[in-house]
Amino acid sequence: MKFVQIIDFETERLEEMEQLMREMGQRNAGREGGPTHRTLLQDRDNPRRHLALLEFESYEEAMRNSDDPETTRMAERLGALCVGERVYTNCDLLRTDELK
């Protein structure tokens, strides 16, 4: 079953965060076990607030990725760019539909 982790955070330094994510994506290109999709949302009522949705092939893959020291270092670097604490929500992906 696919797994999605939602990270709720606030930042005033989104451009720096995006640059770090691009760098990590380049380093991890072709590596198995990382996220398969990433979606970034911005709260229209609070522009500092964002939701990052990271999709993995499974919960187990996400936990292996979470245990990777490189992931830990990246999370620390991203956390330093946040205002306040991040909130993590772990979800099983039950269904996704394309609506037209």
Side-chain angles (χ1 to χ4, degrees):
M1 176 179 287
K2 292 193 183 228
F3 173 81
V4 176
Q5 184 172 68
I6 303 169
I7 307 168
D8 186 337
F9 65 95
E10 289 191 17
T11 187
E12 295 175 345
R13 300 168 68 183
L14 186 62
E15 297 82 18
E16 293 172 68
M17 293 181 92
E18 286 283 55
Q19 180 61 36
L20 283 175
M21 293 304 293
R22 279 191 294 276
E23 291 171 12
M24 185 173 187
Q26 291 170 352
R27 278 196 304 273
N28 293 334
R31 179 179 148 232
E32 290 187 31
T36 58
H37 294 88
R38 182 181 68 188
T39 302
L40 181 64
L41 308 173
Q42 182 176 38
D43 187 329
R44 292 180 69 88
D45 298 320
N46 176 2
R48 289 185 352 169
R49 182 175 178 229
H50 298 81
L51 299 169
L53 288 70
L54 303 174
E55 183 177 321
F56 295 84
E57 286 299 323
S58 69
Y59 172 79
E60 293 77 19
E61 287 290 327
M63 293 304 100
R64 277 192 286 280
N65 182 71
S66 182
D67 290 339
D68 184 321
E70 182 65 27
T71 300
T72 301
R73 283 190 290 278
M74 179 58 68
E76 289 169 354
R77 292 176 69 190
L78 290 169
L81 299 173
C82 290
V83 175
E85 295 297 316
R86 292 161 287 171
V87 176
Y88 294 85
T89 304
N90 298 316
C91 304
D92 290 325
L93 179 59
L94 299 180
R95 189 176 81 215
T96 182
D97 298 314
E98 185 93 15
L99 305 174
K100 291 192 178 198

